[in-house]
Amino acid sequence: MVESPPRQPALPRISALQRAWLEELGLDAPLLAPGLVPDDPPTVPSGRAARTGEATARVEDAGDHFIDVGPRHRAQRVGGHSAGADSRQRGGAEGEAWPRAAPAGELETLRRQVEQCRACGLCEGRSHAVFGEGVARAPDWMVVGEAPGDCDDRSGRPFQGEAGALLANMLSAVGIVADDQVYATNLVKCRPLGNRPPLPEEIAACLPYLRQQVVLLAPRLILAVGRVAAQTLTGSQSTLSQLRGRVHAFESPDGRQIPLVVTHHPASLLLQPQHKLDAWRDLVLARRAVR
Ligand code: URA
C-alpha cells in the first residue's frame, strides 16, 4: 500500500500590511514562516503612514476576524504635551457612554503630589518622578510598565529609549496610534537604582497613585507589560505565561471593571525576540477586548 504524505495544516493568512508591521516589529520571515503566510503582494503603506494609521487599513489577526484601523481623531494629551479641553464621551462595548474622565486639573494635582512624594526610598535617587503621559481622557489603552529607567528618570517621561520605541511599534502593529489612544505610566514613579525591579514595599507605597490615575483617566483597557506589572495588577503570583492569553478584570477604586491584558515587557522582548509573536497575539487580544 502506498502511503500518502501527511496533510499539512492550512496556514493562517495575513495581509501584506500586517506583514509589513510585523516585520517592523522584528518578526521577520523565519519566525513568521511556520505559522503565517502573506495573502497579497506587499504594495501597502509602510513607514510613517503605516505607523500612524494615516492610511485606512485592515488588520487581520491570523483568523477570521478583522479589526478596522482607520484614521482617528486627535485626543487630548498631557505630560509634556498640550492639554486643551476635551469633552468626548466614549462608547463602551454595547455603545453605552463610557464614564467621563476627570477634569485635567485633578490629574495635574496628582502629578504634583507624585513629584513631591517621599513615601519610599526611591525618592532619594530620582532626578524626576515619572508620572506618566499620553491621552488624558478615557484613553483606549493605559499601558502600565514596571518602573522608570535611566532615560525616563532624566527626561521625566515614561518608556523612552529602545524599549519604548519597540512598545510604540508593537502598538502600531495592531493599529493602536499611541498619540491618539494611549496613556503610559508605571507601577512605581521613581527609578530604582541599578535597573532592579521595584521592591514590594516600593510598589505598595506607589500603588495608590496608579489607582488614582486609573480613576481619573478612565481607560477603556489596561495593558500590563512585564511580570511585575502583570502580577501586581492581577493580584496573582502566577507566572507571566500563565497570566497571558486571557482578559482579566481590573477593579478600579470607583467600582468599574476594566479589561486587563498582560504581555511581555518590551525590554525583555529586546533580549528574547522569540516572544514577540506571543506579544503580538496579546495585543490582538487586547484590541479585540475593547473594539
Ligand atoms: N521605562 C518605563 O517607563 N517603564 C518600564 O517598565 C521600563 C522602562
Side-chain angles (χ1 to χ4, degrees), residues 174-231:
V174 292
I176 294 290
V177 182
D179 278 353
D180 288 355
Q181 295 179 267
V182 177
Y183 188 93
T185 188
N186 286 295
L187 283 181
V188 304
K189 311 302 189 203
C190 299
R191 168 195 55 170
L193 286 172
N195 218 16
R196 65 167 171 77
L199 302 171
E201 57 268 30
E202 292 162 347
I203 296 172
C206 218
L207 207 51
Y209 293 126
L210 180 68
R211 291 170 63 75
Q212 195 53 27
Q213 274 174 308
V214 171
V215 172
L216 296 177
L217 292 161
R220 297 184 71 206
L221 173 125
I222 297 175
L223 180 73
V225 299
R227 178 188 58 83
V228 180
Q231 290 180 333

Short mmCIF file of all heavy atoms in Angstrom, two decimals, residues 174-231:
data_model
loop_
_atom_site.label_atom_id
_atom_site.label_comp_id
_atom_site.label_asym_id
_atom_site.label_seq_id
_atom_site.Cartn_x
_atom_site.Cartn_y
_atom_site.Cartn_z
N VAL A 174 -0.78 46.64 15.82
CA VAL A 174 -2.19 46.22 15.93
C VAL A 174 -3.13 47.41 15.72
O VAL A 174 -4.29 47.36 16.08
CB VAL A 174 -2.49 45.52 17.28
CG1 VAL A 174 -1.79 44.19 17.35
CG2 VAL A 174 -2.15 46.40 18.47
N GLY A 175 -2.59 48.49 15.15
CA GLY A 175 -3.44 49.60 14.78
C GLY A 175 -3.74 50.57 15.90
O GLY A 175 -4.67 51.37 15.79
N ILE A 176 -2.99 50.50 16.98
CA ILE A 176 -3.17 51.47 18.07
C ILE A 176 -2.22 52.64 17.83
O ILE A 176 -1.00 52.44 17.72
CB ILE A 176 -2.90 50.82 19.44
CG1 ILE A 176 -3.95 49.75 19.75
CG2 ILE A 176 -2.85 51.85 20.56
CD1 ILE A 176 -5.35 50.27 20.04
N VAL A 177 -2.77 53.83 17.75
CA VAL A 177 -1.97 55.02 17.50
C VAL A 177 -1.66 55.67 18.84
O VAL A 177 -2.54 56.22 19.49
CB VAL A 177 -2.74 56.01 16.57
CG1 VAL A 177 -1.89 57.23 16.27
CG2 VAL A 177 -3.14 55.30 15.29
N ALA A 178 -0.41 55.55 19.25
CA ALA A 178 -0.05 55.96 20.61
C ALA A 178 -0.49 57.40 20.89
O ALA A 178 -1.07 57.68 21.94
CB ALA A 178 1.45 55.78 20.83
N ASP A 179 -0.24 58.31 19.95
CA ASP A 179 -0.55 59.72 20.20
C ASP A 179 -2.03 59.97 20.42
O ASP A 179 -2.42 60.93 21.06
CB ASP A 179 -0.11 60.57 19.01
CG ASP A 179 1.38 60.88 19.08
OD1 ASP A 179 2.01 60.55 20.10
OD2 ASP A 179 1.89 61.43 18.08
N ASP A 180 -2.86 59.11 19.86
CA ASP A 180 -4.31 59.35 19.91
C ASP A 180 -5.04 58.47 20.90
O ASP A 180 -6.20 58.71 21.22
CB ASP A 180 -4.93 59.08 18.54
CG ASP A 180 -4.56 60.15 17.54
OD1 ASP A 180 -3.92 61.13 17.93
OD2 ASP A 180 -4.93 60.00 16.37
N GLN A 181 -4.41 57.38 21.35
CA GLN A 181 -5.20 56.37 22.05
C GLN A 181 -4.59 55.86 23.35
O GLN A 181 -5.22 55.05 24.03
CB GLN A 181 -5.37 55.15 21.12
CG GLN A 181 -6.20 55.44 19.88
CD GLN A 181 -6.31 54.22 18.99
OE1 GLN A 181 -5.53 54.02 18.08
NE2 GLN A 181 -7.27 53.39 19.28
N VAL A 182 -3.38 56.31 23.68
CA VAL A 182 -2.66 55.63 24.77
C VAL A 182 -2.21 56.60 25.85
O VAL A 182 -1.77 57.71 25.56
CB VAL A 182 -1.42 54.89 24.20
CG1 VAL A 182 -0.61 54.24 25.31
CG2 VAL A 182 -1.85 53.84 23.18
N TYR A 183 -2.33 56.15 27.09
CA TYR A 183 -1.66 56.81 28.22
C TYR A 183 -0.68 55.78 28.79
O TYR A 183 -1.04 54.63 29.00
CB TYR A 183 -2.68 57.21 29.29
CG TYR A 183 -2.07 58.07 30.37
CD1 TYR A 183 -2.09 59.46 30.29
CD2 TYR A 183 -1.44 57.49 31.48
CE1 TYR A 183 -1.51 60.25 31.27
CE2 TYR A 183 -0.86 58.28 32.46
CZ TYR A 183 -0.90 59.66 32.35
OH TYR A 183 -0.32 60.43 33.32
N ALA A 184 0.56 56.21 29.01
CA ALA A 184 1.59 55.28 29.50
C ALA A 184 2.09 55.71 30.87
O ALA A 184 2.33 56.90 31.11
CB ALA A 184 2.76 55.23 28.53
N THR A 185 2.22 54.75 31.77
CA THR A 185 2.75 55.04 33.09
C THR A 185 3.36 53.75 33.66
O THR A 185 3.53 52.76 32.95
CB THR A 185 1.66 55.64 34.00
OG1 THR A 185 2.27 56.08 35.23
CG2 THR A 185 0.56 54.62 34.33
N ASN A 186 3.71 53.80 34.93
CA ASN A 186 4.37 52.66 35.59
C ASN A 186 3.77 52.40 36.95
O ASN A 186 3.13 53.27 37.54
CB ASN A 186 5.86 52.98 35.76
CG ASN A 186 6.61 52.91 34.44
OD1 ASN A 186 6.71 51.85 33.85
ND2 ASN A 186 7.12 54.04 33.99
N LEU A 187 4.07 51.19 37.45
CA LEU A 187 3.66 50.86 38.82
C LEU A 187 4.28 51.81 39.82
O LEU A 187 3.63 52.28 40.74
CB LEU A 187 4.17 49.46 39.19
CG LEU A 187 3.50 48.23 38.66
CD1 LEU A 187 4.21 47.02 39.22
CD2 LEU A 187 2.02 48.23 39.02
N VAL A 188 5.60 52.02 39.67
CA VAL A 188 6.27 52.98 40.56
C VAL A 188 6.78 54.15 39.72
O VAL A 188 7.15 53.97 38.56
CB VAL A 188 7.40 52.35 41.41
CG1 VAL A 188 6.88 51.19 42.23
CG2 VAL A 188 8.59 51.95 40.58
N LYS A 189 6.76 55.31 40.33
CA LYS A 189 7.01 56.53 39.56
C LYS A 189 8.45 57.01 39.64
O LYS A 189 8.81 57.97 38.97
CB LYS A 189 6.08 57.66 40.04
CG LYS A 189 4.60 57.27 40.16
CD LYS A 189 4.00 56.77 38.87
CE LYS A 189 2.48 56.62 38.99
NZ LYS A 189 1.96 55.66 38.00
N CYS A 190 9.26 56.38 40.45
CA CYS A 190 10.66 56.79 40.56
C CYS A 190 11.57 55.61 40.22
O CYS A 190 11.24 54.46 40.54
CB CYS A 190 10.98 57.29 41.97
SG CYS A 190 9.99 58.73 42.44
N ARG A 191 12.69 55.92 39.60
CA ARG A 191 13.59 54.87 39.11
C ARG A 191 14.27 54.12 40.26
O ARG A 191 14.90 54.74 41.12
CB ARG A 191 14.68 55.54 38.26
CG ARG A 191 15.84 54.64 37.93
CD ARG A 191 17.00 55.43 37.42
NE ARG A 191 17.38 56.48 38.37
CZ ARG A 191 18.48 57.21 38.30
NH1 ARG A 191 19.31 57.04 37.29
NH2 ARG A 191 18.75 58.14 39.20
N PRO A 192 14.19 52.80 40.26
CA PRO A 192 15.04 52.04 41.18
C PRO A 192 16.47 52.06 40.65
O PRO A 192 16.69 51.79 39.46
CB PRO A 192 14.45 50.62 41.13
CG PRO A 192 13.13 50.75 40.46
CD PRO A 192 13.23 51.94 39.56
N LEU A 193 17.43 52.38 41.49
CA LEU A 193 18.81 52.47 41.03
C LEU A 193 19.29 51.11 40.54
O LEU A 193 18.88 50.06 41.06
CB LEU A 193 19.72 52.98 42.16
CG LEU A 193 19.58 54.48 42.45
CD1 LEU A 193 20.37 54.86 43.69
CD2 LEU A 193 20.01 55.32 41.25
N GLY A 194 20.16 51.13 39.53
CA GLY A 194 20.73 49.89 39.01
C GLY A 194 19.74 49.07 38.21
O GLY A 194 19.96 47.89 37.96
N ASN A 195 18.63 49.68 37.82
CA ASN A 195 17.66 49.00 36.96
C ASN A 195 17.06 47.74 37.59
O ASN A 195 16.65 46.82 36.90
CB ASN A 195 18.34 48.63 35.63
CG ASN A 195 17.39 48.81 34.47
OD1 ASN A 195 16.36 49.47 34.61
ND2 ASN A 195 17.71 48.20 33.34
N ARG A 196 17.06 47.68 38.92
CA ARG A 196 16.48 46.49 39.58
C ARG A 196 14.95 46.61 39.58
O ARG A 196 14.41 47.71 39.45
CB ARG A 196 17.01 46.38 41.02
CG ARG A 196 16.56 47.53 41.92
CD ARG A 196 16.81 47.24 43.39
NE ARG A 196 16.59 48.42 44.21
CZ ARG A 196 15.43 48.92 44.56
NH1 ARG A 196 14.31 48.35 44.14
NH2 ARG A 196 15.33 49.99 45.32
N PRO A 197 14.26 45.47 39.74
CA PRO A 197 12.79 45.57 39.85
C PRO A 197 12.42 46.29 41.15
O PRO A 197 13.16 46.19 42.14
CB PRO A 197 12.33 44.10 39.91
CG PRO A 197 13.52 43.26 39.61
CD PRO A 197 14.75 44.09 39.82
N PRO A 198 11.31 46.99 41.17
CA PRO A 198 10.90 47.64 42.41
C PRO A 198 10.57 46.61 43.49
O PRO A 198 10.09 45.51 43.19
CB PRO A 198 9.65 48.43 42.01
CG PRO A 198 9.20 47.87 40.71
CD PRO A 198 10.38 47.22 40.06
N LEU A 199 10.87 46.96 44.73
CA LEU A 199 10.59 46.05 45.85
C LEU A 199 9.09 46.10 46.17
O LEU A 199 8.42 47.11 45.91
CB LEU A 199 11.37 46.50 47.09
CG LEU A 199 12.89 46.56 46.93
CD1 LEU A 199 13.55 47.23 48.15
CD2 LEU A 199 13.44 45.16 46.68
N PRO A 200 8.58 45.03 46.81
CA PRO A 200 7.14 45.02 47.14
C PRO A 200 6.73 46.25 47.96
O PRO A 200 5.65 46.82 47.72
CB PRO A 200 6.98 43.73 47.95
CG PRO A 200 8.08 42.84 47.47
CD PRO A 200 9.23 43.75 47.12
N GLU A 201 7.61 46.69 48.89
CA GLU A 201 7.20 47.85 49.70
C GLU A 201 7.18 49.14 48.87
O GLU A 201 6.41 50.06 49.14
CB GLU A 201 8.07 47.99 50.96
CG GLU A 201 9.55 48.12 50.73
CD GLU A 201 10.28 46.77 50.75
OE1 GLU A 201 9.67 45.74 50.37
OE2 GLU A 201 11.46 46.75 51.14
N GLU A 202 8.05 49.21 47.84
CA GLU A 202 8.05 50.39 46.97
C GLU A 202 6.78 50.39 46.10
O GLU A 202 6.15 51.44 45.90
CB GLU A 202 9.31 50.39 46.09
CG GLU A 202 10.57 50.61 46.91
CD GLU A 202 11.86 50.19 46.19
OE1 GLU A 202 11.80 49.50 45.16
OE2 GLU A 202 12.94 50.54 46.71
N ILE A 203 6.41 49.19 45.63
CA ILE A 203 5.18 49.11 44.83
C ILE A 203 3.98 49.47 45.71
O ILE A 203 3.10 50.25 45.30
CB ILE A 203 5.01 47.69 44.25
CG1 ILE A 203 6.15 47.39 43.27
CG2 ILE A 203 3.66 47.53 43.58
CD1 ILE A 203 6.19 45.95 42.78
N ALA A 204 3.98 48.94 46.93
CA ALA A 204 2.84 49.22 47.82
C ALA A 204 2.73 50.71 48.11
O ALA A 204 1.61 51.26 48.17
CB ALA A 204 2.99 48.42 49.11
N ALA A 205 3.88 51.37 48.25
CA ALA A 205 3.84 52.81 48.56
C ALA A 205 3.32 53.61 47.37
O ALA A 205 2.69 54.66 47.54
CB ALA A 205 5.24 53.29 48.95
N CYS A 206 3.59 53.14 46.17
CA CYS A 206 3.26 53.92 44.97
C CYS A 206 1.90 53.55 44.36
O CYS A 206 1.33 54.35 43.62
CB CYS A 206 4.35 53.69 43.92
SG CYS A 206 4.76 55.18 42.97
N LEU A 207 1.42 52.38 44.67
CA LEU A 207 0.20 51.88 44.02
C LEU A 207 -1.02 52.82 44.16
O LEU A 207 -1.80 52.95 43.20
CB LEU A 207 -0.13 50.48 44.53
CG LEU A 207 -0.92 49.57 43.59
CD1 LEU A 207 -0.30 49.50 42.20
CD2 LEU A 207 -1.04 48.18 44.20
N PRO A 208 -1.18 53.47 45.31
CA PRO A 208 -2.34 54.38 45.40
C PRO A 208 -2.34 55.45 44.30
O PRO A 208 -3.41 55.86 43.83
CB PRO A 208 -2.18 55.01 46.78
CG PRO A 208 -1.41 53.98 47.56
CD PRO A 208 -0.46 53.36 46.58
N TYR A 209 -1.15 55.89 43.89
CA TYR A 209 -1.10 56.89 42.81
C TYR A 209 -1.62 56.29 41.51
O TYR A 209 -2.38 56.93 40.78
CB TYR A 209 0.32 57.40 42.59
CG TYR A 209 0.86 58.20 43.75
CD1 TYR A 209 2.07 57.87 44.34
CD2 TYR A 209 0.16 59.31 44.24
CE1 TYR A 209 2.58 58.60 45.40
CE2 TYR A 209 0.66 60.05 45.30
CZ TYR A 209 1.87 59.69 45.88
OH TYR A 209 2.36 60.42 46.92
N LEU A 210 -1.18 55.06 41.22
CA LEU A 210 -1.64 54.42 39.98
C LEU A 210 -3.15 54.20 40.02
O LEU A 210 -3.87 54.46 39.04
CB LEU A 210 -0.92 53.08 39.77
CG LEU A 210 -1.34 52.35 38.50
CD1 LEU A 210 -0.86 53.09 37.26
CD2 LEU A 210 -0.80 50.92 38.50
N ARG A 211 -3.64 53.76 41.17
CA ARG A 211 -5.08 53.51 41.28
C ARG A 211 -5.88 54.81 41.07
O ARG A 211 -6.92 54.82 40.43
CB ARG A 211 -5.39 52.85 42.62
CG ARG A 211 -4.82 51.42 42.70
CD ARG A 211 -4.91 50.83 44.09
NE ARG A 211 -6.25 50.67 44.58
CZ ARG A 211 -7.11 49.72 44.18
NH1 ARG A 211 -6.73 48.84 43.29
NH2 ARG A 211 -8.32 49.66 44.68
N GLN A 212 -5.33 55.89 41.61
CA GLN A 212 -5.99 57.19 41.43
C GLN A 212 -5.93 57.63 39.97
O GLN A 212 -6.89 58.18 39.43
CB GLN A 212 -5.31 58.22 42.35
CG GLN A 212 -6.09 59.51 42.56
CD GLN A 212 -7.53 59.27 43.04
OE1 GLN A 212 -7.84 58.25 43.67
NE2 GLN A 212 -8.42 60.20 42.71
N GLN A 213 -4.78 57.34 39.32
CA GLN A 213 -4.69 57.65 37.89
C GLN A 213 -5.75 56.90 37.08
O GLN A 213 -6.35 57.45 36.17
CB GLN A 213 -3.30 57.26 37.33
CG GLN A 213 -2.24 58.34 37.50
CD GLN A 213 -0.87 57.83 37.07
OE1 GLN A 213 -0.42 56.76 37.52
NE2 GLN A 213 -0.19 58.58 36.23
N VAL A 214 -5.98 55.64 37.46
CA VAL A 214 -6.99 54.84 36.74
C VAL A 214 -8.36 55.50 36.87
O VAL A 214 -9.11 55.64 35.90
CB VAL A 214 -7.01 53.38 37.25
CG1 VAL A 214 -8.19 52.62 36.67
CG2 VAL A 214 -5.71 52.66 36.92
N VAL A 215 -8.66 55.95 38.07
CA VAL A 215 -9.97 56.61 38.29
C VAL A 215 -10.06 57.88 37.45
O VAL A 215 -11.06 58.14 36.77
CB VAL A 215 -10.18 56.94 39.78
CG1 VAL A 215 -11.43 57.77 39.98
CG2 VAL A 215 -10.24 55.65 40.59
N LEU A 216 -9.01 58.70 37.48
CA LEU A 216 -9.07 60.00 36.80
C LEU A 216 -9.05 59.86 35.28
O LEU A 216 -9.69 60.63 34.57
CB LEU A 216 -7.91 60.89 37.27
CG LEU A 216 -7.93 61.27 38.75
CD1 LEU A 216 -6.70 62.09 39.13
CD2 LEU A 216 -9.20 62.04 39.10
N LEU A 217 -8.29 58.88 34.79
CA LEU A 217 -8.16 58.73 33.34
C LEU A 217 -9.35 57.97 32.74
O LEU A 217 -9.72 58.20 31.60
CB LEU A 217 -6.88 57.97 32.99
CG LEU A 217 -5.57 58.69 33.28
CD1 LEU A 217 -4.42 57.69 33.33
CD2 LEU A 217 -5.29 59.73 32.22
N ALA A 218 -9.86 57.01 33.48
CA ALA A 218 -10.93 56.13 32.98
C ALA A 218 -10.55 55.44 31.67
O ALA A 218 -11.24 55.60 30.65
CB ALA A 218 -12.24 56.90 32.82
N PRO A 219 -9.45 54.66 31.67
CA PRO A 219 -9.08 53.98 30.43
C PRO A 219 -10.08 52.91 30.07
O PRO A 219 -10.76 52.35 30.94
CB PRO A 219 -7.72 53.34 30.79
CG PRO A 219 -7.80 53.12 32.26
CD PRO A 219 -8.61 54.28 32.81
N ARG A 220 -10.17 52.61 28.79
CA ARG A 220 -11.06 51.52 28.35
C ARG A 220 -10.42 50.18 28.61
O ARG A 220 -11.11 49.19 28.81
CB ARG A 220 -11.38 51.67 26.87
CG ARG A 220 -12.13 52.95 26.55
CD ARG A 220 -12.50 52.99 25.09
NE ARG A 220 -13.55 52.02 24.80
CZ ARG A 220 -13.73 51.47 23.62
NH1 ARG A 220 -12.96 51.79 22.61
NH2 ARG A 220 -14.69 50.61 23.42
N LEU A 221 -9.08 50.12 28.58
CA LEU A 221 -8.37 48.85 28.76
C LEU A 221 -7.02 49.15 29.39
O LEU A 221 -6.43 50.20 29.13
CB LEU A 221 -8.16 48.17 27.40
CG LEU A 221 -7.29 46.91 27.44
CD1 LEU A 221 -8.05 45.74 26.82
CD2 LEU A 221 -5.97 47.10 26.71
N ILE A 222 -6.58 48.24 30.23
CA ILE A 222 -5.22 48.35 30.79
C ILE A 222 -4.37 47.25 30.19
O ILE A 222 -4.77 46.08 30.15
CB ILE A 222 -5.26 48.24 32.32
CG1 ILE A 222 -6.07 49.40 32.92
CG2 ILE A 222 -3.83 48.25 32.89
CD1 ILE A 222 -6.28 49.32 34.42
N LEU A 223 -3.18 47.63 29.73
CA LEU A 223 -2.20 46.65 29.24
C LEU A 223 -1.03 46.66 30.21
O LEU A 223 -0.33 47.67 30.35
CB LEU A 223 -1.71 47.04 27.84
CG LEU A 223 -0.69 46.08 27.24
CD1 LEU A 223 -1.35 44.76 26.81
CD2 LEU A 223 0.03 46.73 26.05
N ALA A 224 -0.86 45.55 30.93
CA ALA A 224 0.25 45.45 31.89
C ALA A 224 1.43 44.80 31.17
O ALA A 224 1.30 43.69 30.65
CB ALA A 224 -0.17 44.60 33.08
N VAL A 225 2.56 45.50 31.12
CA VAL A 225 3.71 44.93 30.41
C VAL A 225 4.75 44.44 31.43
O VAL A 225 5.19 45.17 32.29
CB VAL A 225 4.31 45.91 29.37
CG1 VAL A 225 3.28 46.25 28.31
CG2 VAL A 225 4.87 47.17 29.98
N GLY A 226 5.07 43.18 31.30
CA GLY A 226 6.08 42.58 32.19
C GLY A 226 5.46 41.90 33.39
O GLY A 226 4.32 42.18 33.80
N ARG A 227 6.26 40.99 33.97
CA ARG A 227 5.76 40.14 35.06
C ARG A 227 5.33 40.95 36.28
O ARG A 227 4.28 40.69 36.88
CB ARG A 227 6.88 39.16 35.49
CG ARG A 227 6.49 38.25 36.64
CD ARG A 227 7.68 37.45 37.13
NE ARG A 227 8.81 38.27 37.56
CZ ARG A 227 8.92 38.83 38.76
NH1 ARG A 227 7.97 38.68 39.67
NH2 ARG A 227 9.98 39.55 39.07
N VAL A 228 6.13 41.94 36.66
CA VAL A 228 5.84 42.64 37.91
C VAL A 228 4.51 43.41 37.80
O VAL A 228 3.66 43.34 38.69
CB VAL A 228 7.01 43.57 38.30
CG1 VAL A 228 6.71 44.30 39.59
CG2 VAL A 228 8.31 42.77 38.43
N ALA A 229 4.34 44.10 36.67
CA ALA A 229 3.07 44.83 36.48
C ALA A 229 1.92 43.84 36.38
O ALA A 229 0.84 44.05 36.95
CB ALA A 229 3.14 45.70 35.23
N ALA A 230 2.16 42.74 35.67
CA ALA A 230 1.08 41.75 35.48
C ALA A 230 0.65 41.17 36.82
O ALA A 230 -0.55 41.08 37.12
CB ALA A 230 1.56 40.65 34.54
N GLN A 231 1.63 40.76 37.63
CA GLN A 231 1.27 40.14 38.92
C GLN A 231 0.60 41.16 39.85
O GLN A 231 -0.37 40.85 40.55
CB GLN A 231 2.52 39.56 39.59
CG GLN A 231 3.04 38.32 38.86
CD GLN A 231 4.28 37.74 39.50
OE1 GLN A 231 5.05 38.46 40.15
NE2 GLN A 231 4.51 36.45 39.30
#
